[in-house]
Coordinates of all heavy atoms in Angstrom, one line a residue:
M1 N -4.4 4.9 -12.5 CA -5.4 5.8 -11.9 C -5.0 6.2 -10.5 O -5.0 5.3 -9.6 CB -6.8 5.2 -12.0 CG -7.8 6.0 -11.2 SD -9.4 5.2 -11.0 CE -10.2 5.7 -12.5
P2 N -4.6 7.4 -10.2 CA -4.2 7.8 -8.9 C -5.4 7.8 -7.9 O -6.5 8.0 -8.3 CB -3.7 9.2 -9.1 CG -4.0 9.6 -10.4 CD -4.5 8.5 -11.2
L3 N -5.0 7.5 -6.7 CA -6.0 7.5 -5.6 C -6.4 8.9 -5.2 O -5.6 9.8 -5.4 CB -5.5 6.7 -4.4 CG -5.2 5.3 -4.5 CD1 -4.6 4.7 -3.3 CD2 -6.5 4.5 -4.8
E4 N -7.5 9.1 -4.6 CA -7.9 10.4 -4.1 C -6.9 10.8 -3.0 O -6.5 10.0 -2.2 CB -9.3 10.4 -3.6 CG -10.4 10.2 -4.6 CD -11.8 10.2 -4.0 OE1 -12.0 10.9 -3.0 OE2 -12.6 9.5 -4.6
A5 N -6.6 12.1 -3.0 CA -5.6 12.6 -2.0 C -6.1 12.3 -0.6 O -5.3 11.9 0.3 CB -5.4 14.1 -2.2
G6 N -7.3 12.5 -0.3 CA -7.8 12.3 1.1 C -7.8 10.9 1.5 O -7.5 10.5 2.6
L7 N -8.0 9.9 0.5 CA -7.9 8.5 0.9 C -6.5 8.1 1.2 O -6.3 7.4 2.2 CB -8.4 7.7 -0.3 CG -8.4 6.2 -0.2 CD1 -9.3 5.8 1.0 CD2 -8.8 5.5 -1.5
L8 N -5.5 8.5 0.5 CA -4.1 8.2 0.8 C -3.7 8.7 2.2 O -2.9 8.1 2.8 CB -3.2 8.7 -0.3 CG -1.8 8.1 -0.3 CD1 -1.8 6.6 -0.4 CD2 -1.0 8.6 -1.5
E9 N -4.2 9.8 2.6 CA -3.9 10.4 3.9 C -4.4 9.5 5.1 O -3.7 9.5 6.1 CB -4.5 11.8 4.0 CG -3.8 12.8 3.2 CD -4.4 14.2 3.3 OE1 -5.2 14.4 4.2 OE2 -4.1 15.0 2.4
I10 N -5.5 8.8 4.9 CA -6.0 8.0 6.0 C -5.6 6.5 6.0 O -5.8 5.8 6.9 CB -7.5 8.1 6.1 CG1 -8.2 7.6 4.9 CG2 -7.9 9.5 6.4 CD1 -9.7 7.5 5.0
L11 N -5.0 6.1 4.8 CA -4.6 4.7 4.8 C -3.3 4.5 5.5 O -2.5 5.3 5.5 CB -4.5 4.3 3.3 CG -5.7 4.2 2.4 CD1 -5.4 3.8 1.0 CD2 -6.7 3.2 3.0
A12 N -3.2 3.2 6.1 CA -1.9 2.9 6.7 C -1.7 1.4 6.5 O -2.6 0.6 6.2 CB -2.1 3.1 8.2
C13 N -0.4 1.0 6.6 CA 0.0 -0.4 6.4 C -0.7 -1.2 7.5 O -0.6 -0.9 8.7 CB 1.5 -0.5 6.5 SG 2.1 -2.2 6.5
P14 N -1.4 -2.3 7.1 CA -2.1 -3.1 8.1 C -1.1 -3.9 9.0 O -1.4 -4.3 10.1 CB -2.9 -4.1 7.3 CG -2.6 -3.9 5.9 CD -1.7 -2.7 5.8
A15 N 0.1 -4.1 8.5 CA 1.1 -4.8 9.3 C 1.8 -4.0 10.4 O 2.0 -4.5 11.5 CB 2.2 -5.4 8.3
C16 N 2.2 -2.8 10.0 CA 3.0 -2.0 11.0 C 2.4 -0.6 11.3 O 2.9 0.1 12.1 CB 4.4 -1.8 10.5 SG 4.6 -0.7 9.1
H17 N 1.3 -0.2 10.6 CA 0.6 1.0 10.8 C 1.3 2.3 10.3 O 0.9 3.4 10.7 CB 0.1 1.2 12.2 CG -0.6 0.0 12.7 ND1 -1.9 -0.4 12.2 CD2 -0.3 -1.0 13.6 CE1 -2.3 -1.5 12.8 NE2 -1.3 -1.9 13.6
A18 N 2.4 2.1 9.5 CA 3.1 3.2 8.9 C 2.3 3.8 7.7 O 1.4 3.1 7.2 CB 4.5 2.8 8.5
A19 N 2.6 5.0 7.3 CA 2.0 5.6 6.2 C 2.3 4.9 4.9 O 3.3 4.1 4.8 CB 2.5 7.1 6.1
L20 N 1.5 5.0 3.9 CA 1.7 4.4 2.6 C 2.0 5.5 1.6 O 1.4 6.6 1.7 CB 0.5 3.6 2.2 CG 0.2 2.4 3.1 CD1 -1.2 1.9 2.7 CD2 1.2 1.3 3.0
K21 N 2.8 5.2 0.6 CA 3.0 6.1 -0.5 C 2.6 5.4 -1.8 O 2.8 4.2 -2.0 CB 4.4 6.7 -0.6 CG 5.5 5.6 -0.9 CD 6.9 6.3 -1.0 CE 7.9 5.2 -1.4 NZ 9.2 5.7 -1.5
E22 N 2.1 6.2 -2.8 CA 1.6 5.6 -4.0 C 2.7 5.6 -5.1 O 3.4 6.6 -5.2 CB 0.4 6.4 -4.5 CG -0.3 5.8 -5.7 CD -1.5 6.5 -6.0 OE1 -1.7 7.7 -5.6 OE2 -2.3 6.0 -6.8
Q23 N 2.9 4.5 -5.7 CA 3.9 4.4 -6.8 C 3.3 3.5 -7.9 O 3.1 2.3 -7.7 CB 5.2 3.8 -6.3 CG 6.2 3.8 -7.4 CD 7.6 3.2 -6.9 OE1 7.9 3.3 -5.7 NE2 8.4 2.7 -7.8
D24 N 3.0 4.1 -9.1 CA 2.3 3.4 -10.2 C 1.0 2.7 -9.7 O 0.1 3.4 -9.3 CB 3.3 2.4 -10.8 CG 4.5 3.0 -11.4 OD1 4.4 4.1 -11.9 OD2 5.6 2.4 -11.3
T25 N 0.9 1.4 -9.8 CA -0.3 0.7 -9.4 C -0.1 0.0 -8.0 O -0.6 -1.1 -7.8 CB -0.7 -0.3 -10.4 OG1 0.4 -1.3 -10.6 CG2 -1.0 0.4 -11.7
E26 N 0.7 0.5 -7.2 CA 1.0 -0.1 -5.9 C 1.1 1.0 -4.8 O 1.3 2.1 -5.0 CB 2.4 -0.8 -5.9 CG 2.5 -1.9 -6.9 CD 3.8 -2.5 -7.0 OE1 4.9 -1.8 -6.9 OE2 3.9 -3.8 -7.1
L27 N 0.9 0.5 -3.5 CA 1.1 1.3 -2.4 C 2.2 0.7 -1.6 O 2.2 -0.5 -1.3 CB -0.2 1.4 -1.5 CG -1.4 2.0 -2.1 CD1 -2.6 1.9 -1.2 CD2 -1.1 3.5 -2.4
I28 N 3.2 1.5 -1.2 CA 4.4 1.0 -0.6 C 4.4 1.6 0.8 O 4.3 2.8 1.1 CB 5.7 1.5 -1.3 CG1 5.6 0.9 -2.8 CG2 6.9 1.0 -0.6 CD1 6.7 1.5 -3.7
C29 N 4.7 0.7 1.8 CA 4.8 1.0 3.2 C 6.1 1.8 3.4 O 7.1 1.5 2.9 CB 4.8 -0.2 4.1 SG 5.0 0.1 5.8
T30 N 6.0 2.9 4.2 CA 7.1 3.7 4.4 C 7.8 3.4 5.7 O 8.8 4.0 6.1 CB 6.7 5.2 4.5 OG1 5.7 5.4 5.6 CG2 6.1 5.7 3.2
G31 N 7.4 2.3 6.4 CA 8.0 1.9 7.6 C 9.4 1.3 7.4 O 9.6 0.5 6.4
Q32 N 10.4 1.7 8.2 CA 11.8 1.3 8.0 C 11.9 -0.2 8.0 O 12.7 -0.8 7.2 CB 12.6 1.9 9.1 CG 12.7 3.4 9.1 CD 13.9 3.9 8.4 OE1 14.9 3.2 8.4 NE2 13.9 5.2 8.0
D33 N 11.3 -0.9 8.9 CA 11.5 -2.3 9.1 C 10.4 -3.2 8.3 O 10.5 -4.4 8.3 CB 11.4 -2.7 10.5 CG 12.5 -2.1 11.3 OD1 13.6 -1.9 10.8 OD2 12.3 -1.8 12.5
C34 N 9.5 -2.5 7.6 CA 8.4 -3.3 7.0 C 8.6 -3.3 5.5 O 9.0 -4.3 4.9 CB 7.0 -2.7 7.3 SG 5.6 -3.5 6.7
G35 N 8.2 -2.2 4.8 CA 8.4 -2.1 3.4 C 7.5 -2.9 2.5 O 7.8 -3.1 1.3
L36 N 6.4 -3.4 3.0 CA 5.5 -4.2 2.2 C 4.9 -3.4 1.0 O 4.8 -2.2 1.2 CB 4.4 -4.8 3.0 CG 4.8 -5.9 4.0 CD1 3.6 -6.3 4.9 CD2 5.3 -7.1 3.3
T37 N 4.7 -4.0 -0.1 CA 4.1 -3.4 -1.2 C 2.7 -4.0 -1.5 O 2.6 -5.2 -1.7 CB 5.0 -3.5 -2.5 OG1 6.3 -3.0 -2.2 CG2 4.4 -2.8 -3.7
Y38 N 1.7 -3.2 -1.5 CA 0.3 -3.6 -1.7 C -0.2 -3.2 -3.1 O 0.0 -2.1 -3.5 CB -0.6 -3.0 -0.6 CG -0.2 -3.4 0.8 CD1 0.6 -2.5 1.5 CD2 -0.7 -4.5 1.4 CE1 1.0 -2.9 2.8 CE2 -0.3 -4.9 2.7 CZ 0.5 -4.1 3.4 OH 0.9 -4.4 4.6
P39 N -0.9 -4.2 -3.8 CA -1.4 -3.8 -5.1 C -2.7 -2.9 -5.0 O -3.4 -2.9 -4.0 CB -1.8 -5.2 -5.7 CG -2.1 -6.0 -4.4 CD -1.2 -5.5 -3.4
V40 N -2.9 -2.2 -6.1 CA -4.1 -1.4 -6.3 C -4.7 -2.0 -7.6 O -4.2 -1.9 -8.6 CB -3.8 0.1 -6.5 CG1 -5.1 0.9 -6.8 CG2 -3.1 0.6 -5.3
R41 N -5.9 -2.6 -7.4 CA -6.6 -3.2 -8.5 C -7.9 -2.4 -8.9 O -8.7 -2.3 -8.0 CB -6.9 -4.6 -8.2 CG -5.7 -5.5 -8.0 CD -6.0 -7.0 -7.8 NE -4.8 -7.7 -7.5 CZ -4.7 -8.5 -6.4 NH1 -5.7 -8.7 -5.6 NH2 -3.5 -9.1 -6.2
D42 N -8.0 -2.0 -10.1 CA -9.1 -1.2 -10.5 C -9.4 0.0 -9.6 O -10.6 0.3 -9.3 CB -10.4 -2.1 -10.6 CG -10.2 -3.2 -11.6 OD1 -9.6 -2.9 -12.7 OD2 -10.7 -4.3 -11.4
G43 N -8.4 0.6 -9.2 CA -8.5 1.8 -8.3 C -8.8 1.5 -6.9 O -9.0 2.4 -6.1
I44 N -8.8 0.3 -6.5 CA -9.1 -0.1 -5.1 C -7.8 -0.7 -4.4 O -7.3 -1.7 -4.9 CB -10.2 -1.2 -5.1 CG1 -11.5 -0.6 -5.7 CG2 -10.5 -1.6 -3.6 CD1 -12.6 -1.6 -6.0
P45 N -7.4 -0.1 -3.3 CA -6.2 -0.7 -2.6 C -6.5 -2.0 -2.0 O -7.6 -2.2 -1.3 CB -5.9 0.3 -1.6 CG -6.7 1.5 -1.9 CD -7.8 1.1 -2.7
V46 N -5.7 -3.0 -2.2 CA -5.9 -4.3 -1.6 C -4.9 -4.4 -0.4 O -3.7 -4.8 -0.6 CB -5.6 -5.5 -2.6 CG1 -5.8 -6.8 -2.0 CG2 -6.5 -5.3 -3.9
L47 N -5.4 -4.0 0.8 CA -4.5 -3.9 1.9 C -4.6 -5.2 2.8 O -5.0 -5.2 3.9 CB -4.9 -2.7 2.8 CG -4.7 -1.4 2.1 CD1 -5.2 -0.2 2.9 CD2 -3.3 -1.2 1.6
L48 N -4.3 -6.3 2.1 CA -4.2 -7.6 2.8 C -2.7 -8.0 2.9 O -2.1 -8.1 1.8 CB -5.0 -8.7 2.0 CG -6.5 -8.4 1.9 CD1 -7.1 -9.4 0.9 CD2 -7.2 -8.4 3.2
V49 N -2.3 -8.4 4.0 CA -0.9 -8.8 4.2 C -0.5 -10.0 3.3 O 0.5 -10.1 2.7 CB -0.5 -9.0 5.7 CG1 0.9 -9.5 5.8 CG2 -0.7 -7.8 6.5
D50 N -1.5 -10.9 3.2 CA -1.3 -12.1 2.3 C -1.1 -11.7 0.8 O -0.5 -12.5 0.1 CB -2.5 -13.1 2.5 CG -2.5 -13.7 3.9 OD1 -1.5 -13.7 4.6 OD2 -3.6 -14.2 4.2
E51 N -1.6 -10.6 0.4 CA -1.5 -10.2 -1.0 C -0.3 -9.3 -1.2 O 0.0 -9.0 -2.3 CB -2.8 -9.4 -1.4 CG -4.1 -10.2 -1.4 CD -4.2 -11.0 -2.7 OE1 -3.7 -10.6 -3.7 OE2 -4.8 -12.1 -2.6
A52 N 0.3 -8.8 -0.2 CA 1.5 -7.9 -0.3 C 2.7 -8.6 -0.7 O 2.9 -9.8 -0.5 CB 1.7 -7.2 1.1
R53 N 3.6 -7.8 -1.3 CA 4.9 -8.3 -1.8 C 5.9 -7.8 -0.8 O 5.9 -6.7 -0.3 CB 5.2 -7.7 -3.1 CG 5.9 -8.6 -4.1 CD 6.0 -8.0 -5.5 NE 5.7 -6.6 -5.8 CZ 6.6 -5.6 -5.8 NH1 7.9 -5.9 -5.5 NH2 6.2 -4.4 -6.0
R54 N 6.8 -8.7 -0.4 CA 7.9 -8.4 0.5 C 9.0 -7.6 -0.2 O 9.3 -7.9 -1.4 CB 8.5 -9.6 1.2 CG 7.5 -10.4 2.0 CD 7.8 -10.2 3.4 NE 6.7 -10.8 4.2 CZ 6.1 -10.2 5.2 NH1 6.5 -9.1 5.6 NH2 5.2 -10.9 5.9
P55 N 9.8 -6.7 0.4 CA 10.9 -6.1 -0.2 C 12.0 -7.1 -0.6 O 12.2 -8.1 0.1 CB 11.4 -5.0 0.8 CG 10.8 -5.5 2.1 CD 9.6 -6.3 1.8
A56 N 12.7 -6.8 -1.6 CA 13.8 -7.7 -2.1 C 15.0 -7.5 -1.2 O 15.3 -6.7 -0.6 CB 14.1 -7.4 -3.5

């Protein structure tokens, strides 16, 4: 389930404050040095650094 367009525009990575992009059921940080991936559960973004996945 895609997020509302307006919501994605105001969300930012809590770690580095870069913009996020939506991919499947995740939000990916667009920051060059960050790259954390946050889950979206039941249409709700979980923007907790402890829940994020680090890039490989």
Side-chain angles (χ1 to χ4, degrees):
M1 170 188 273
L3 296 175
E4 292 181 28
L7 179 61
L8 194 55
E9 289 177 15
I10 62 172
L11 292 178
C13 176
C16 71
H17 308 290
L20 297 169
K21 67 177 180 177
E22 189 173 15
Q23 182 178 336
D24 299 325
T25 59
E26 299 177 320
L27 294 177
I28 301 170
C29 176
T30 59
Q32 296 261 339
D33 297 328
C34 184
L36 290 174
T37 301
Y38 299 93
V40 176
R41 296 187 186 126
D42 297 323
I44 301 169
V46 181
L47 298 178
L48 300 171
V49 175
D50 292 341
E51 294 280 330
R53 219 174 8 97
R54 298 256 175 223

